[in-house]
């Protein structure tokens, strides 16, 4: 499983919209604002050293360079809008210094505003996927109005230039760390090796890691190894011992204990729960990480939600 700084490719519009069936997304960061609306299911967001659980119509925003992880017990349908700060740069450059409060602050907001923003996000997505004449102009206008509404109603701070530079430097360091872990998680891996790679003291890196990822290094590494093992249990016929070794666990006992902590059952039990399931290939793909909806499928899903009255506009 990849743990990475997410590089998002934009068109000249510098934003991206997608629907995704999400089961698990490893801890990652990206340089964009990400606004999410849960259309169906239940999902837990791990960020800011805390966890936030959302059910249907749950809404949250992630700041650029903020590490976050997503986990659901069964696939949850998520609508995401990712917008680069450079989208606003020519006329509202201070957006690069704005930082929204943690996700739990949104639950305390006025319900009518919360509903309005949810409906606006659906409208932006519907316009984007419908691709009708001049949709680019309409999407651009709606995104500007949407962010104006966010800034009007939700808690945020304006970072100083020094704080902004520190945030970007932190993101670069986090990317270097996650890249190194991704390349070496199947081996014996010590935090001291990463400290040497980054020319940092072990003590400093230990504190930096916990502050940045919201968990100690060993817990993060365990999650990565367990997620990779979970995929192999479901999608291959490898023995438990082979999976244990290929995912970097030092011995089967440690593998079983770590997997039990992460998923609430042993690796053997987890595989047995699925071995009689007739999983379609699409479902198997979804079980690995996440399944992105095509534009045509996205339109069908959005139309369904619109006609149901949940998000009518």
């Amino acid at each position: 499983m990849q743990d990475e700084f997410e590089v998002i490719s934009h068109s000249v519009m510098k934003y991206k919209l997608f629907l995704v069936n999400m089961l698990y997304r490893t801890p990652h960061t990206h340089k964009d604002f990400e606004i999410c609306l849960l259309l169906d299911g239940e999902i837990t967001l791990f960020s800011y050293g805390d966890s936030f659980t959302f059910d249907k119509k749950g809404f949250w925003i992630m700041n650029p360079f903020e590490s976050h992880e997503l986990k659901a017990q069964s696939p949850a349908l998520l609508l995401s809008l990712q917008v680069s700060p450079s989208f606003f740069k020519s006329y509202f450059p201070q957006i690069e210094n704005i930082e929204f409060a943690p996700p739990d602050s949104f639950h305390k907001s006025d319900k009518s505003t919360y509903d309005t923003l949810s409906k606006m996000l659906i409208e932006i997505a519907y316009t984007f996927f419908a691709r009708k004449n001049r949709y680019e102009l309409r999407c651009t206008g709606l995104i500007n109005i949407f962010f104006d509404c966010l800034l009007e109603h939700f808690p945020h701070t304006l970072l100083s230039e020094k704080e902004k530079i520190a945030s970007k430097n932190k993101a670069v360091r986090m990317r270097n760390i996650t890249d190194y872990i991704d390349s070496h998680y199947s081996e014996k891996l010590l935090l001291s090796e990463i400290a040497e790679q980054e020319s940092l003291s072990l003590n400093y890196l230990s504190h930096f890691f916990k502050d940045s990822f919201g968990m100690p290094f060993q817990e993060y590494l365990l999650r990565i190894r367990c997620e990779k093992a979970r995929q192999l249990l479901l999608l291959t016929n490898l023995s438990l011992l082979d999976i244990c070794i290929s995912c970097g666990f030092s011995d089967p006992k440690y593998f079983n204990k770590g997997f039990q902590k992460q998923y609430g059952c042993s690796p053997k039990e987890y595989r047995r729960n699925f071995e009689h399931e007739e999983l379609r290939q699409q479902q198997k793909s979804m079980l690995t990480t996440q399944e992105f909806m095509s534009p045509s499928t996205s339109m069908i899903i959005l139309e369904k939600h619109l006609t149901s009255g949940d998000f009518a506009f």
Side-chain angles (χ1 to χ4, degrees), residues 100 112-114 116-117 120 142-154 156:
F100 289 97
S112 63
T113 302
Y114 189 94
T116 297
L117 283 163
M120 287 178 66
L142 289 171
I143 289 172
N144 278 284
I145 295 170
F146 181 79
F147 268 80
D148 179 64
C149 190
L150 281 178
L151 293 171
E152 177 71 22
H153 295 285
F154 288 112
H156 61 278

Side-chain angles (χ1 to χ4, degrees), residues 82-98:
Q82 296 171 335
V83 185
S84 169
S86 61
F87 177 89
F88 312 93
K89 190 173 182 179
S90 64
Y91 53 92
F92 194 70
Q94 56 265 50
I95 192 73
E96 292 196 346
N97 294 65
I98 285 173

Side-chain angles (χ1 to χ4, degrees), residues 14 34-35 58 70 108-109 111 155 178 184 205 213 216 225 227 229 239 307 309:
K14 298 182 179 179
E34 182 172 41
I35 300 94
L70 291 162
K108 302 170 186 175
S109 303
K111 185 179 183 302
T178 53
H184 300 277
L205 182 56
F213 291 92
R225 286 171 169 166
E227 173 57 18
S239 70
T307 55

Side-chain angles (χ1 to χ4, degrees), residues 42 69 108 131 187 203 238 241-242:
E42 183 178 289
E69 175 185 15
K108 302 170 186 175
R131 292 291 203 275
E187 310 163 12
N203 184 57
L238 289 173
L241 181 59
D242 286 341

Side-chain angles (χ1 to χ4, degrees), residues 48-49 191 204-217 219:
Y48 300 93
L191 188 60
Y204 175 86
L205 182 56
S206 178
H207 285 89
F208 174 86
F209 198 101
K210 188 170 183 178
D211 289 343
S212 300
F213 291 92
M215 67 189 80
F217 166 72
E219 182 178 344

